[in-house]
């Protein structure tokens, strides 16, 4: 009867083999397909993101390279302006030769012009391709140029929109820089932008080009677009870039989809575009898609075939197990296990064998259970005894805590979850004024900044302690009291928050002392401000006095020098030789005093005004100063060793004054050397970068070092080396204004080395 029912059950059940195949498809193939498609989409997104990121990085790199290329011509123009300002009174040919030399050496400008105060050309240097003569421009008025007016109005460097040069056929823009006495104009050739675009475009399947603020092409691999000033301002990507929006966008050009990245060049307002065909960008994605789909289909087919082949072998031990189970169902408990197979099937066979043995051992198992119950009862009795002992210990601990709570000098208060006071010690009564009988079982009467209820809610909500919170509370009589409060949550036996304990210390006296300190600090700051105002007033009066003294002293000096010269010229024949020598000494002394006044004014000027920090190429400045000294004294044999690319961050004008004094001193004190050597460079001393100027001249005695940088201090006789003793004081003041340090090393007859460091 049992066997018949078993057979009916087996016939009416679904096939395990079919169910396993379906389960394999649902649990293995379908997730693999889904995961494969998800991975493909992520990979596709990564490829697109990589392309857009690389395009945008290339555009930023080109923008940075363009800005870097424009920076040096602007520095050259500033240098020309400085020289033009210094040589405004020099002969015309001298400044023209300098402009021609600078135009040829730098190679940035097609032409350079120096305009006078009225905007007329006073000096000019033309490139070889200009096809004109400098005399054609000299005297020409250029004040009507927009870039000239913008530069004069702003008192700073300005540039014009780009245009195509008639002489070179290259994109060009005019840069104007005003200076004291005129303006420098330069026609800057932008042909280098095309080389940057072509170089950036090498190695990518796309195009790199640059447009100006109006959207016209100024750099493109196709030079015809540059020559025609082709307008791309109607393109959306160009419009976005000119507005300052950097990114990668999709758009179409002539019906062809494109993927482009754009970056704006902040200095000029131009835009750099890196453009690629969208079909080229997505070609690797389409190839990857085909490979992925083919591999996925082959994997699914192989998996299904393998599942059908392996399931037959897997289910054979199961059939043997079914036969054994049918025998157990018929009353035969001696279980015959199937042959060794898979671990799960073996475990199932062992379970059936144990089940048959368990039926016979049921009574014995029940007896063992009774014995275990007796042992459990004894264990419970022992646990009850231990619980009673722990209660006694807890009572002692509670008594100790009550004593500590009452004797504490700090105000200790506990409240439940509703804010009702459950404990209140004596210190709380002394600080806040309420007796325990008045507050126990009532809501906490203390009014805190922000509310005591808010503090309790925050501690209970976050289950975190609060320490060192300073609050202002009210005593019972309404007077305020400042307390330093700490709070922590209290938990019941089930580790659930049941309330909050607060511990407060009276800090009213400390707060009052802090208020006094703040008041004294405020008074001190007011006194410092008053002293600062007085000092600024004294400085302004000193500047006014310096100007007045210098102005009032110059007139008598000019009279002394003029009348002495007139006396030599008109009455020289009637004077004795000694009288003529006296007049020459008078003129020399007047000249030295005039130079001394100039040096004092220079020392006063470098002590005032703001310091404008920017990168300064000291090597370039030293070369310029060396060229000026060599031109002034062409008969001297002086060798210069100048280290390249010594760049610091500081004020260009002030640092030029420093180098002019140091190089000038080296030139002066090597005047008696037949083979003079002056060196400039940078070194590291005690871990600090220091610049130096050294010479092989007269040197000085280091025992007089403390007088070296003082005003009017000279370590050589005026008859040996002329000077006023102000130069090194000026150097020290400029370096100190930069936050740096200056020092020197020397020996008599073996030259001197001056060092200075900048932060």
């Amino acid at each position: 009867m049992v066997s018949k029912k078993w057979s009916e059950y087996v016939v009416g059940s679904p096939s395990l083999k079919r169910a396993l195949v379906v389960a394999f498809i649902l649990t293995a193939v379908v997730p693999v397909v889904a995961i494969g498609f998800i991975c493909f989409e992520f990979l596709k997104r990564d490829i697109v993101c990589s392309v857009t990121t690389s395009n945008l990085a290339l555009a930023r790199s080109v923008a940075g390279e363009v800005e870097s290329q424009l920076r040096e011509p602007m520095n050259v123009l500033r240098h020309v302006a400085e020289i033009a300002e210094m040589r405004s009174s020099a002969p015309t040919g001298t400044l023209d030769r300098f402009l021609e030399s600078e135009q040829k050496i730098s190679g940035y400008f097609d032409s350079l012009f120096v305009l006078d105060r009225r905007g007329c050309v006073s000096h000019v240097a033309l490139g070889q391709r200009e096809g004109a003569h400098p005399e054609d421009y000299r005297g020409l008025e250029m004040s009507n140029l927009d870039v000239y007016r913008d530069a004069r109005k702003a008192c700073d460097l300005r540039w014009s929109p780009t245009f195509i040069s008639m002489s070179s056929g290259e994109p060009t823009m005019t840069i104007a820089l005003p200076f004291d006495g005129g303006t420098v104009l330069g026609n800057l050739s932008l042909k280098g932008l095309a080389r940057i675009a072509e170089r950036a475009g090498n190695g990518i399947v796309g195009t790199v080009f640059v447009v100006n603020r109006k959207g016209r092409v100024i750099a493109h691999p196709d030079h015809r677009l540059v020559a025609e000033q082709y307008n791309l301002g109607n393109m959306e990507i160009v419009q976005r870039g000119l507005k300052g929006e950097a990114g990668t966008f999709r758009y179409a050009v002539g019906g062809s989809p494109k993927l482009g990245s754009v970056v704006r060049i902040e200095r000029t307002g131009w835009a750099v575009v890196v453009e690629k065909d969208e079909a080229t960008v997505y070609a690797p994605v389409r190839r990857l898609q085909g490979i992925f789909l083919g591999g996925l289909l082959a994997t699914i087919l192989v998996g299904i075939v393998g599942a059908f082949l392996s399931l037959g072998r897997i289910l054979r031990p199961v059939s043997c197990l079914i036969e054994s189970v049918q025998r157990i169902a018929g009353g035969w408990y001696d279980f015959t296990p199937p042959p060794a197979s898979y671990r799960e099937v073996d475990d199932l066979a062992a379970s059936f064998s144990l089940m048959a043995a368990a039926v016979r051992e049921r009574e014995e198992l029940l007896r063992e259970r009774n014995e275990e119950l007796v042992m459990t009862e004894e264990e419970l009795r022992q646990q009850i005894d231990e619980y009673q002992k722990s209660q006694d210990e807890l009572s002692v601990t509670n008594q100790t805590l009550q004593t500590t709570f009452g004797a504490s000098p700090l105000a200790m208060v506990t409240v439940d979850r509703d804010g009702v006071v459950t404990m209140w010690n004596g210190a709380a009564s002394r600080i806040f004024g309420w007796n325990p009988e008045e507050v126990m079982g009532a809501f906490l009467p203390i009014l805190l900044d922000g509310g005591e209820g808010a503090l309790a809610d925050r501690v209970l909500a976050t289950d975190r302690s609060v320490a060192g919170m300073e609050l202002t509370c009210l005593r019972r009589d309404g007077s305020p009291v400042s307390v330093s409060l700490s709070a922590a949550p209290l938990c019941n036996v089930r580790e659930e928050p049941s309330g909050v304990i607060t511990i407060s210390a009276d800090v009213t006296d400390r707060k009052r002392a802090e208020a006094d300190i703040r008041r004294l600090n405020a008074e001190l700051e007011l006194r410092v401000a008053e002293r600062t105002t007085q000092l600024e007033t004294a400085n302004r009066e000193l500047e006014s006095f310096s100007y007045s003294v210098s102005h009032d002293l110059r007139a008598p000096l000019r009279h002394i020098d003029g009348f002495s010269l007139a006396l030599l010229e008109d009455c020289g024949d009637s004077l004795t030789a000694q009288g003529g020598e006296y007049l020459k000494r008078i003129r020399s002394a007047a000249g030295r005093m005039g130079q001394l006044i100039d040096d004092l004014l220079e020392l006063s000027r470098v002590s005032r005004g703001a310091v404008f920090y920017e990168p300064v190429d000291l090597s370039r400045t030293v070369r310029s100063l060396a060229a000026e000294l060599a031109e002034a004294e062409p008969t001297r044999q002086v060798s210069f060793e100048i280290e390249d690319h010594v760049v610091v961050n500081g004020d260009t004008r002030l640092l030029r004054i420093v180098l002019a004094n140091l190089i000038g001193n080296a030139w002066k004190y090597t005047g008696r050397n037949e083979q003079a050597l002056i060196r400039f460079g940078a070194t590291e001393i005690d871990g600090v970068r220091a610049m130096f100027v050294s010479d092989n001249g007269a040197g000085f005695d280091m025992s007089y070092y403390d007088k070296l940088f003082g005003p009017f201090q000279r370590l050589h006789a005026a008859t040996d080396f002329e000077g006023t003793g102000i130069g090194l004081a000026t150097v020290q003041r400029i370096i100190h204004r930069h936050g740096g340090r200056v020092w020197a090393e020397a020996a008599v007859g073996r030259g001197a080395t001056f060092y200075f460091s900048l932060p």
Side-chain angles (χ1 to χ4, degrees), residues 125 151 185 203 207 263 267 345 349 357 359 383 407 420 471 547 559-560 650 679 705 730:
L185 292 180
T207 304
V263 173
R267 181 184 288 271
V345 177
V359 174
Q383 290 179 0
V420 176
L471 302 172
Y547 177 80
H559 291 164
I560 292 171
R679 298 171 58 246
Y705 181 81
T730 303

Side-chain angles (χ1 to χ4, degrees), residues 516-702:
D516 293 339
I517 291 174
R518 287 194 295 271
R519 178 178 55 78
L520 293 175
N521 286 338
E523 293 177 358
L524 180 60
E525 291 177 359
L526 181 60
R527 292 179 181 178
V528 170
E530 292 176 355
R531 292 290 188 272
T532 303
T533 303
Q534 295 173 1
L535 182 60
E536 291 176 351
T537 303
N539 284 337
R540 287 194 297 269
E541 292 175 354
L542 180 60
E543 292 174 6
S544 176
F545 175 75
S546 298
Y547 177 80
S548 300
V549 168
S550 64
H551 184 271
D552 294 341
L553 287 178
R554 287 181 185 278
L557 285 176
R558 285 195 298 269
H559 291 164
I560 292 171
D561 184 65
F563 284 115
S564 298
L565 179 61
L567 188 60
L568 280 173
E569 292 177 349
D570 297 341
C571 305
D573 296 338
S574 60
L575 293 174
T576 63
Q578 186 174 11
E581 181 64 24
Y582 288 162
L583 286 176
K584 290 179 182 179
R585 291 186 180 182
I586 291 173
R587 292 197 63 210
S588 176
R592 286 196 301 273
M593 188 169 184
Q595 182 62 42
L596 181 60
I597 293 172
D598 291 339
D599 291 345
L600 285 173
L601 288 177
E602 181 66 26
L603 181 61
S604 176
R605 277 195 294 269
V606 300
S607 302
R608 305 190 305 269
V611 178
F612 299 97
Y613 288 90
E614 61 180 337
V616 182
D617 190 342
L618 299 184
S619 300
R620 183 183 182 88
T621 303
V622 171
R623 288 193 178 90
S624 174
L625 294 170
E628 294 175 8
L629 292 171
E631 183 178 355
E633 296 185 53
T635 59
R636 286 196 57 184
Q637 298 295 323
V638 180
S639 298
F640 281 90
E641 293 182 3
I642 303 172
E643 181 179 336
D644 292 329
H645 306 300
V646 178
V647 179
V648 298
N649 196 39
D651 190 294
T652 302
R653 181 183 66 85
L654 296 179
L655 292 181
R656 182 177 178 83
I657 294 173
V658 169
L659 292 174
N661 278 286
L662 295 180
I663 297 297
N665 280 352
W667 180 275
K668 177 171 60 178
Y669 289 112
T670 57
R672 298 182 180 181
N673 292 34
E674 294 182 0
Q675 295 295 329
L677 174 62
I678 299 176
R679 298 171 58 246
F680 169 78
T683 185
E684 186 170 324
I685 300 176
D686 296 333
V688 177
R689 184 180 183 229
M691 281 57 69
F692 66 88
V693 175
S694 67
D695 61 73
N696 61 345
F700 58 86
D701 190 345
M702 288 293 288

Side-chain angles (χ1 to χ4, degrees), residues 21 24-25 28-29 32 294-311:
V21 172
F24 172 77
I25 294 174
V29 176
V32 167
L296 184 62
L297 180 60
T299 301
I300 294 172
L301 293 176
V302 171
I304 294 175
V305 172
F308 274 100
L309 295 176
S310 60
L311 284 178

Side-chain angles (χ1 to χ4, degrees), residues 141-369:
E141 183 177 356
M142 293 188 177
S143 60
N144 59 340
L145 295 178
D146 293 338
V147 66
Y148 172 83
R149 291 196 296 267
D150 292 344
R152 296 299 298 183
K153 182 178 180 180
C155 295
D156 199 0
L157 188 144
R158 290 292 184 270
W159 49 81
S160 70
T162 60
F163 58 91
I164 298 299
S165 173
M166 299 297 293
S167 59
S168 64
E170 301 289 346
T172 308
M173 68 177 180
T174 301
I175 304 178
L177 177 63
F179 63 90
D180 188 12
T183 306
V184 177
L185 292 180
N187 289 326
L188 175 63
S189 175
L190 302 178
K191 61 184 179 181
L193 300 184
R195 291 194 295 270
I196 294 175
E198 291 174 0
R199 183 168 61 252
N202 290 336
I204 65 169
V205 183
T207 304
V208 179
F209 60 89
V210 184
V211 299
N212 62 14
R213 293 183 178 179
K214 296 182 178 180
R216 298 187 180 276
V217 178
I218 58 176
H220 197 282
D222 188 352
H223 190 71
R224 293 176 300 175
L225 299 180
V226 179
E228 296 173 2
Q229 288 283 275
Y230 195 77
N231 191 354
L232 299 179
N234 58 344
M235 292 177 62
E236 181 182 0
I237 187 172
V238 174
Q239 294 173 357
R240 287 173 178 255
L242 294 178
K243 291 178 181 179
E245 183 177 354
T248 302
F249 310 97
R250 289 186 175 89
Y251 56 95
V253 177
S256 176
K258 302 287 186 180
L259 187 70
S261 299
V262 65
V263 173
R264 181 182 178 184
I265 303 174
E266 294 300 331
R267 181 184 288 271
T268 60
W270 303 341
V272 177
V273 179
V274 178
E275 181 181 82
K276 292 183 178 180
D277 290 332
E278 193 172 274
T280 303
V281 173
Y282 289 107
V285 177
R286 287 193 291 273
R287 289 195 299 271
L288 183 62
Q289 184 176 13
I291 295 172
F292 171 75
L293 292 177
L296 184 62
L297 180 60
T299 301
I300 294 172
L301 293 176
V302 171
I304 294 175
V305 172
F308 274 100
L309 295 176
S310 60
L311 284 178
R313 181 174 177 272
I314 294 173
L315 294 178
R316 278 195 297 271
V318 177
S319 300
C320 297
L321 183 60
I322 291 173
E323 294 177 359
S324 299
V325 172
Q326 288 176 347
R327 288 195 297 271
I328 293 174
W332 184 260
Y333 293 104
D334 291 334
F335 180 75
T336 303
S341 179
Y342 297 100
R343 183 174 61 187
E344 289 79 3
V345 177
D346 294 341
D347 292 343
L348 183 59
S351 298
F352 277 112
S353 179
L354 292 174
M355 181 182 66
V359 174
R360 291 192 297 267
E361 298 174 356
R362 182 174 300 171
E363 291 183 2
E364 184 180 355
L365 180 61
L366 290 175
R367 287 193 297 271
E368 293 176 355
R369 292 285 181 171

Side-chain angles (χ1 to χ4, degrees), residues 6-41:
W6 178 269
S7 301
E8 291 176 355
Y9 173 77
V10 171
V11 170
S13 300
S15 170
L16 177 61
K17 184 175 182 179
R18 184 181 302 168
L20 289 175
V21 172
V22 173
F24 172 77
I25 294 174
L26 293 177
T27 60
V29 176
V30 173
V32 167
V33 173
I35 292 173
F37 276 107
I38 292 173
C39 292
F40 173 74
E41 287 299 323

